Amino acid sequence: MYKRRNEVERTIHTLKNFHAVACRFDKRPYVFHGTVTVAAMRLWLRP
């Protein structure tokens, strides 16, 4: 369980390296969700 929690915390930290996610420029929840989704896809597709 600790290993999974650590993995989630590291992923959230990596997502916050994206400036738009960290500063939350998007005030509407559905737009912010899209920004986080795009950032996650960029992480997932990273070579």
Side-chain angles (χ1 to χ4, degrees):
M1 192 164 112
Y2 177 77
K3 183 178 179 182
R4 185 70 176 152
R5 178 182 174 197
N6 188 358
E7 182 179 343
V8 169
E9 287 180 2
R10 285 186 291 130
T11 303
I12 290 171
H13 175 71
T14 306
L15 279 175
K16 287 189 176 186
N17 285 334
F18 289 94
H19 188 68
V21 176
C23 293
R24 189 157 184 181
F25 291 132
D26 310 316
K27 297 303 178 191
R28 295 196 171 104
Y30 62 91
V31 177
F32 182 69
H33 183 266
T35 303
V36 172
T37 302
V38 169
M41 287 191 310
R42 286 187 62 189
L43 287 175
W44 185 55
L45 295 173
R46 183 173 56 182

